[in-house]
């Protein structure tokens, strides 16, 4: 009775570590895309998808001064109960736009 419980516990712990690694990949992908979009690069979404976990969605929202990137990815648990225990990983990052025109007085003070 103890052996199956130990195997299940070990499997869940390994899945948790892999999910944490996927979360870190989401954070990195959001950061990479926010910096690229803030510079005005047109391939920011492609850069985010390359760094994100498989199946991730990337959304970029821009306003006059900032760029916000949100990355979300499904992360199912292994085995037959994977659909019941799946989690949704996600992260967002914000960067100040570098391609935005500055004001007439030479820019705005930092922080805004």
């Amino acid at each position: 009775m103890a052996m199956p419980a130990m195997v299940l516990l070990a499997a869940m712990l390994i899945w948790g570590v892999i999910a944490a690694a996927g979360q870190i990949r989401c954070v990195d992908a959001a950061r990479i895309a926010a910096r690229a979009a803030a510079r005005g690069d047109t391939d920011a979404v492609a850069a985010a998808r390359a760094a994100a976990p498989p199946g991730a969605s990337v959304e970029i929202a821009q306003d006059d001064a900032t760029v916000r990137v949100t990355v979300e990815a499904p992360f199912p648990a292994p085995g037959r109960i994977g659909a019941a225990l799946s989690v949704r990983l996600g992260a967002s990052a914000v960067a100040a736009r570098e391609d935005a025109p500055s004001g007439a007085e030479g820019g705005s003070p930092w922080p805004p």
Side-chain angles (χ1 to χ4, degrees):
M1 180 81 169
M3 189 58 120
M6 295 294 285
V7 170
L8 180 62
L9 178 64
M12 293 307 290
L13 288 174
I14 291 170
W15 177 72
V17 169
I18 294 172
Q23 176 65 30
I24 292 170
R25 288 182 67 187
C26 285
V27 170
D28 288 342
R31 179 186 51 84
I32 289 168
R35 291 187 71 195
R39 286 190 308 260
D41 292 347
T42 58
D43 60 346
V45 174
R49 287 204 174 116
S57 65
V58 179
E59 294 180 15
I60 297 179
Q62 298 182 2
D63 62 14
D64 291 339
T66 61
V67 175
R68 173 182 287 279
V69 177
T70 303
V71 177
E72 291 185 347
F75 195 79
R80 294 181 187 168
I81 59 172
L85 295 178
S86 69
V87 295
R88 189 117 182 113
L89 306 176
S92 61
V94 178
R97 290 185 62 180
E98 297 175 14
D99 63 343
S102 60
E105 62 276 347
S108 60
W110 182 258

